């Protein structure tokens, strides 16, 4: 059955204003999964207008009512778990294990974020002016534009919209053309059933190649007061430049080229398993995946042999098969890019320890060594199941080489001495560091985000107010104040 995905604006489902549609294909079978509304700037404008019209009422809604909507939404997602997992596998090619992990994250996010409605909204400030009472009061900003990617469609769309709405804002969500269903329309269905008022959440979809016009409208529209974006550094930089011209704050969670450091005192078996998961989960299509493994020389030979052997045996194929670990890449262009970059590295002298040959629509778990610094794999994020393994003399060399990257999203350190790991973490230029774990971790309440070319700002329930509220200074006096003239 081919699904129909349409815009959701002001509580109603609608086609694009031009009537255009595009076909979204299943990345494993190639079959058409859905016919999707191909929106443009005018559709985005309608979404912003609906969100703006709904803001006054939603921002004045009682905390209990806002909380109740989010809690009902969590129950709906939980009830639809099996259906949603199937849709995610069909739309983005993730395995069931990954889908279930994402669904669990979202139910937790919704329940945790429901508490934002009752969070304190300000504080009393001391004033040096006699008779003056001063307050710092937070309030919702208005319309938030949320631009979400496809790779963790359910989670990253939820993260982009739930915190802002819980704080009293309204939202226009632009999902990726690769995930219009689980990254967009599904959330509109869930929140409509949960009783979210019309206009609070609006979803505008678009065909491949048309994202720019919609993003330009969302950033440039005067009613949009905040923007959040998760995606590539290249696109994030363009959006930041546009937001700067309009003096709008933007939260950016961008690319990563994440290091995993394996020290000589690490448990070798655990290190191999952690590295395999961190490099190859969701076939490497996660911004947090380990792209570079630095292993101390004392254990390098044994680690390399065991890690390459494990990578070579990871099951690849149909993501609906519960045995599958490596499913398809999202589309043929992604497969082509991974293939080209591996072939370039090999032509420049890199060695292949596992994988390295595409099996469309999949690419096997691939381990390379000796990748030259000028190869694209060595310095740019490659969204696929490919990791570079390098030997280092000691922890200092590992830290130095890790920090040479222009990215700084996440990192991991495996060591038998957690206190040593903490000391290394302080030296790593990354927004997130995990000690005795691999780098693919997230929890709704944590301050998720990077440094350097990996973006700025932090997602996370406990930190949403930093970016999605305005802080107002208010003073009050009961008696007249004397003036100098």
């Amino acid at each position: 059955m081919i699904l129909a995905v349409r815009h959701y604006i002001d509580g109603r489902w609608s086609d694009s204003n031009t009537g255009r549609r595009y076909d979204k294909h299943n990345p494993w079978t190639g079959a058409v999964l859905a016919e999707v509304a191909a929106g443009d700037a005018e559709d985005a404008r309608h979404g912003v207008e609906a969100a703006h019209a709904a803001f006054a009422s939603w921002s004045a809604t009682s905390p209990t009512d806002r909380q109740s909507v989010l809690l009902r939404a969590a129950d709906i997602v939980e009830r639809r778990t099996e259906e949603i997992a199937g849709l995610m596998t069909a739309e983005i090619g993730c395995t069931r294990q990954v889908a279930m992990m994402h669904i669990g994250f979202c139910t937790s996010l919704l329940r945790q974020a429901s508490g934002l409605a009752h969070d304190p909204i300000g504080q009393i400030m001391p004033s040096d002016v006699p008779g003056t009472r001063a307050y710092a009061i937070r309030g919702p900003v208005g319309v938030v534009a949320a631009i979400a990617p496809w790779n963790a469609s359910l989670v990253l769309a939820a993260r982009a919209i739930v915190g802002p709405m819980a704080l009293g804002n309204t939202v226009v969500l632009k999902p990726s053309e690769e995930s219009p269903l689980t990254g967009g329309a599904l959330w509109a269905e869930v929140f409509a059933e949960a009783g979210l008022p019309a206009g609070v959440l609006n979803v505008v979809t678009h065909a491949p190649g048309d994202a720019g016009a919609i993003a330009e409208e969302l950033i440039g529209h005067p009613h949009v007061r905040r923007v959040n974006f998760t995606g590539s550094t290249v696109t994030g930089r363009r959006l930041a430049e546009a937001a700067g011209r309009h003096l709008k704050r933007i939260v950016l969670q961008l690319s990563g080229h994440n290091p995993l450091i394996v020290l000589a005192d690490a448990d070798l078996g655990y290190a191999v398993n952690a590295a395999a998961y961190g490099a190859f989960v969701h076939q490497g299509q996660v911004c947090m995946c380990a792209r570079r493994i630095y292993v101390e020389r004392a254990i390098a030979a044994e680690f390399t042999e065991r890690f390459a052997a494990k990578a070579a045996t990871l099951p690849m194929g149909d993501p609906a098969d519960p045995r599958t670990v490596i499913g398809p890449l999202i589309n043929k262009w992604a497969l082509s890019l991974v293939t080209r970059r591996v072939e370039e590295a090999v032509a420049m002298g890199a060695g292949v320890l596992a994988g390295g040959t595409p099996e469309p629509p999949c690419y096997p778990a691939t381990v390379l060594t000796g990748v030259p610094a000028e190869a694209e794999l060595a310095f740019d994020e490659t969204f696929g199941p490919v990791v570079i393994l390098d030997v280092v003399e000691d922890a200092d060399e590992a830290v130095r080489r890790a920090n040479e990257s222009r990215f700084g999203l996440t990192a991991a350190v495996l060591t038998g001495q957690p206190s040593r790991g903490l000391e290394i973490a302080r030296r790593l230029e990354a927004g997130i560091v995990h000690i005795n774990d691999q780098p693919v971790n997230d929890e709704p309440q944590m301050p998720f985000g990077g440094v350097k070319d990996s973006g700025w700002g932090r997602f996370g329930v406990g930190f949403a107010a930093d970016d999605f509220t305005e802080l107002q200074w208010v003073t009050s006096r009961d008696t007249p104040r004397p003036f100098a003239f």
Side-chain angles (χ1 to χ4, degrees):
M1 180 180 68
I2 297 176
L3 304 173
V5 177
R6 297 186 292 170
H7 300 323
Y8 185 74
I9 298 174
D10 200 20
R12 294 184 293 273
W13 297 98
S14 64
D15 292 320
S16 61
N17 75 88
T18 63
R20 291 175 56 232
R21 296 183 178 183
Y22 75 96
D23 290 339
K24 162 59 189 170
H25 296 266
N26 180 313
W28 170 249
T29 66
V32 175
L33 173 66
E35 292 181 348
V36 186
D40 58 16
E42 184 174 344
D43 295 301
R45 185 161 53 253
H46 292 159
V48 173
E49 290 167 352
H52 179 66
F55 173 67
S57 175
W58 178 245
S59 61
T61 300
S62 73
T64 294
D65 287 345
R66 274 185 275 140
Q67 182 180 54
S68 296
V69 169
L70 296 178
L71 292 175
R72 286 194 295 269
D75 292 341
I76 293 164
V77 170
E78 204 163 61
R79 188 188 74 229
R80 296 179 63 178
T81 290
E82 290 300 324
E83 174 196 358
I84 293 171
L87 290 172
M88 291 181 67
T89 295
E91 186 172 49
I92 64 172
C94 71
T95 63
R96 175 180 172 80
Q97 179 191 52
V98 169
M100 297 300 287
M101 178 174 62
H102 288 185
I103 293 166
F105 180 100
C106 288
T107 56
S108 180
L109 169 63
L110 287 160
R111 289 172 178 143
Q112 288 192 40
S114 72
L116 288 175
H118 284 98
D119 273 2
I121 61 171
Q123 59 189 125
I124 299 173
M125 306 292 292
S127 173
D128 286 330
V129 179
T132 294
R133 289 184 297 274
Y135 312 89
I137 302 174
R138 288 192 177 274
V141 300
V143 180
V144 174
I147 303 175
W150 58 266
N151 60 311
S153 53
L154 193 76
V155 163
L156 297 181
R159 191 179 69 177
I161 64 176
V162 169
M165 291 194 305
L167 291 164
N169 301 291
T170 56
V171 178
V172 181
L173 171 63
K174 187 204 79 63
S176 166
E177 67 272 20
E178 296 289 359
S179 56
L181 181 56
T182 58
L186 177 66
W187 283 116
E189 290 178 10
V190 167
F191 277 108
E193 184 180 344
L196 188 71
V200 177
L201 173 63
N202 306 274
V203 179
V204 178
T205 57
H206 62 86
D210 292 345
I214 292 179
E216 184 177 341
E217 176 65 30
L218 292 176
I219 292 175
H221 198 294
H223 290 330
V224 174
R225 298 312 312 151
R226 292 288 191 277
V227 181
N228 69 66
F229 169 77
T230 300
S232 73
T233 295
V234 171
T235 301
R237 182 172 281 110
R238 290 199 299 265
L239 295 178
E241 290 169 352
R245 288 195 299 273
H246 295 281
L247 296 179
K248 292 184 182 178
R249 284 168 57 182
I250 181 170
V251 178
L252 297 170
Q253 194 266 286
L254 307 177
S255 304
H257 203 264
N258 312 301
L260 170 61
I261 298 171
V262 184
L263 300 182
D265 61 356
D267 180 287
L268 201 56
Y270 177 77
V272 167
N273 290 335
Y277 183 89
F280 304 127
V281 64
H282 193 22
Q283 41 275 18
Q285 297 176 129
V286 182
C287 60
M288 297 173 278
C289 275
R291 308 296 177 191
R292 301 167 288 157
I293 298 175
Y294 298 115
V295 56
E296 276 197 288
R297 187 171 299 280
I299 60 167
E302 186 175 359
F303 175 87
T304 299
E305 180 181 358
R306 292 171 63 173
F307 179 66
K310 186 175 182 71
T313 59
L314 293 177
M316 180 172 64
D318 184 353
D321 185 333
R323 297 167 296 181
T324 296
V325 173
I326 307 294
L329 294 187
I330 187 64
N331 56 41
K332 63 182 180 181
W333 295 277
L335 180 63
S336 176
L337 177 63
V338 172
T339 302
R340 179 181 66 77
R341 287 186 172 178
V342 171
E343 290 176 347
E344 176 199 54
V346 171
M348 296 171 73
V352 180
L353 303 179
T357 303
E359 299 183 32
C362 300
Y363 200 93
T366 297
V367 183
L368 301 179
T369 188
V371 175
E374 58 271 24
E376 288 182 31
L377 277 174
F379 62 82
D380 208 356
E381 180 179 58
T382 299
F383 239 42
V386 181
V387 68
I388 299 169
L389 193 157
D390 284 323
V391 178
V392 294
E393 296 301 327
D394 53 28
D396 289 340
E397 182 185 354
V399 170
R400 177 180 60 78
R401 294 185 63 178
N403 288 343
E404 287 173 353
S405 173
R406 64 190 175 95
F407 298 106
L409 180 56
T410 184
V413 182
L414 300 177
T415 173
Q417 303 176 62
S419 60
R420 185 185 183 201
L422 286 170
E423 186 275 327
I424 291 171
R426 287 192 289 270
R427 296 162 55 198
L428 287 168
E429 296 170 358
I432 305 162
V433 181
H434 300 291
I435 299 162
N436 287 334
D437 201 348
Q438 46 71 47
V440 184
N441 283 282
D442 197 7
E443 295 183 60
Q445 74 276 20
M446 298 300 177
F448 190 97
V451 299
K452 301 197 289 189
D453 279 11
S454 292
W456 63 61
R458 294 294 182 269
F459 287 96
V461 170
F463 305 88
D466 293 344
D467 287 295
F468 300 113
T469 61
E470 295 284 11
L471 190 60
Q472 185 180 46
W473 174 34
V474 176
T475 68
S476 174
R477 295 182 59 88
D478 294 330
T479 60
R481 177 179 177 177
F483 300 104
F485 59 89

